[in-house]
Amino acid sequence: MAGPAPAVAAIRSAVTAATVGLPDGSLVLVACSGGPDSLALAACTAFVAQRSVRMAGRPHAGPLLRAGAVVVDHGLQAESAEVAATAGIKCRRLGLDPVAVVRVEVGTAGGPEAAAREARYAALERAAEQSGAAMVLLGHTLDDQAETVLMGLARGSGARSLAGMRSRRGLIVRPMLGLRRTDTLAACEALGLDPWHDPTNSGLTPEGGGRAPRRSRVRAEVVPVIADVLGPGAVLSLARTADLLRADADALDSLANSLFIAATVGKGAEGRDSRGVRREPPPPARPGQPQDSADAAAIVLDVEILGRALPAIRRRALRIAALASGAQAGSLTHTHIDAVDALVTRWHGQGIVALSGRVQVRRAYGRLEFHPGQEGPERAENGER
């Protein structure tokens, strides 16, 4: 009896590797748009879950899994509701259960692509929380990783953004970052699947009268030119760049987290994790104790401690503080961080530095104060889709 097609076997193996170690009975959700990547992932995840039931109790069997899906309708195209509903039907036919089709409202903060990404990840996290899922699988491939690196280069980004998408981030898991888009197309063909093809991937809007999202244009227009001029291995090299930089970025971020904690003064350090995100409410002031600027600000950092740090570490620590105070990750630029850094290293009495998310930063009495706006902290996905 012939085995599965190589592309199908590769995706099934990737899902199996991603779910190793989960407790028996764990629910795994697939984020499915109905496109080739996510539909192939959904089909292979359904197979792995069904196989886990058949193999239960046998030696060397993996965890007993349940598999479901989440379809997010961004409402940005005329037929988005129909596309989402169809994707949900296809997931159910594959044997996935539960399947949730979720409509989201896309805001404007950080631009349309960043706003859509923020709404999508928020919906996935809510779906995981409501269903008790152990993880959410996303269908990003090596080609998506290469596009992420290219877009980071165009923005003049640092190592963290050029490190691309993580294979794991909390509940979010990307098992196919080592596979190509050609693999998912081949898997769909081998399995007899009929995926939806996003019309914006041609570089134009569905109506053909305007420009598609930037990532779609990079995919349709930029990557083919790079592959033609530099050779087909250029895409692999871009993805490898992300892998090489990720370890360096992780090390620098760890040092920056330590600096952030060491430099935080007053009550601002209490109830926050190593990324500066508040996990507990701030402690109340004791009776009769005046509330000083350290209490009123979201984050207060010691300028002297910051000034002794290496620039690369200090600037990352300042970014942590800005994001923890509510600055929008997609709109926090090198210029913003440079202006905040100048309050530490090039102080001459300059005024408040305004950041995205209505965050304001000022220096006073040897302290750097990050005052929050009305909007909460935004997820820092570093350009991830």
Side-chain angles (χ1 to χ4, degrees):
M1 181 177 177
V8 174
I11 298 173
R12 289 174 179 175
S13 295
V15 172
T16 300
T19 54
V20 165
L22 288 178
D24 282 345
S26 294
L27 173 63
V28 176
L29 296 178
V30 179
C32 185
S33 66
D37 299 341
S38 61
L39 192 59
L41 178 60
C44 291
T45 302
F47 174 87
V48 170
Q50 292 158 9
R51 182 180 60 188
S52 75
V53 175
R54 296 194 303 269
M55 298 292 290
R58 299 186 186 182
H60 310 296
L64 182 62
L65 300 176
R66 297 180 296 130
V70 183
V71 181
V72 178
D73 174 13
H74 299 84
L76 298 179
Q77 297 182 21
E79 300 178 351
S80 66
E82 181 181 349
V83 170
T86 301
I89 292 171
K90 291 178 180 179
C91 287
R92 293 185 184 95
R93 287 175 178 171
L94 290 170
L96 297 175
D97 182 41
V99 175
V101 179
V102 182
R103 177 69 177 259
V104 297
E105 294 296 328
V106 177
T108 58
E113 293 180 65
R117 182 172 60 246
E118 180 71 13
R120 177 168 61 254
Y121 279 97
L124 295 176
E125 290 178 354
R126 284 194 302 270
E129 181 180 0
Q130 292 168 359
S131 63
M135 63 174 55
V136 181
L137 303 184
L138 272 60
H140 297 128
T141 65
L142 184 148
D143 296 83
D144 294 305
Q145 188 75 294
E147 293 160 8
T148 299
V149 174
L150 272 177
M151 294 174 71
L153 285 169
R155 291 193 302 268
S157 302
R160 171 50 66 199
S161 186
L162 297 182
M165 297 177 284
R166 295 179 182 271
S167 59
R168 290 177 181 265
R169 188 185 184 92
L171 293 177
I172 300 298
V173 179
R174 300 177 174 90
M176 300 197 302
L177 286 180
L179 302 176
R180 300 297 303 271
R181 191 168 291 132
T182 51
D183 293 319
T184 64
L185 289 168
C188 286
E189 182 177 359
L191 294 172
L193 302 175
D194 181 24
W196 168 70
H197 294 278
D198 186 346
T200 65
N201 285 336
S202 66
L204 297 172
T205 61
E207 293 75 19
R211 291 294 190 178
R214 184 177 291 113
R215 179 178 287 272
S216 297
R217 295 184 61 196
V218 168
R219 179 176 303 163
E221 303 171 26
V222 179
V223 173
V225 172
I226 290 176
D228 180 56
V229 175
L230 300 179
V235 173
L236 293 170
S237 297
L238 285 168
R240 185 167 61 250
T241 296
D243 293 336
L244 294 172
L245 284 173
R246 191 170 301 111
D248 294 346
D250 287 345
L252 291 171
D253 286 347
S254 177
L255 294 172
N257 287 333
S258 297
L259 174 61
F260 168 78
I261 293 171
T264 303
V265 297
K267 294 183 175 63
E270 299 182 34
R272 296 184 184 275
D273 63 15
S274 61
R275 294 174 54 247
V277 177
R278 183 172 292 285
R279 301 303 184 192
E280 302 172 5
R286 292 188 296 273
Q289 179 186 30
Q291 184 173 9
D292 61 16
S293 61
D295 297 321
I299 303 286
V300 180
L301 304 179
D302 187 293
V303 170
E304 183 178 355
I305 294 176
L306 291 172
R308 294 197 299 263
L310 292 171
I313 308 302
R314 180 179 61 248
R315 294 172 70 89
R316 280 171 169 78
L318 295 175
R319 178 178 173 83
I320 290 172
L323 293 173
S325 300
Q328 298 162 353
S331 304
L332 191 60
T333 67
H334 169 82
T335 302
H336 289 134
I337 298 300
D338 187 63
V340 176
D341 193 49
L343 296 177
V344 178
T345 61
R346 303 187 299 277
W347 172 246
H348 52 81
Q350 58 263 49
I352 289 173
V353 175
L355 306 178
S356 59
R358 303 181 183 178
V359 174
Q360 295 186 336
V361 187
R362 70 171 184 172
R363 174 169 170 164
Y365 304 105
R367 294 177 172 181
L368 205 62
E369 302 177 356
F370 290 76
H371 293 268
Q374 297 178 356
E375 300 175 5
E378 179 181 305
R379 180 185 299 100
E381 285 293 334
N382 304 304
E384 296 180 1
R385 293 182 65 205

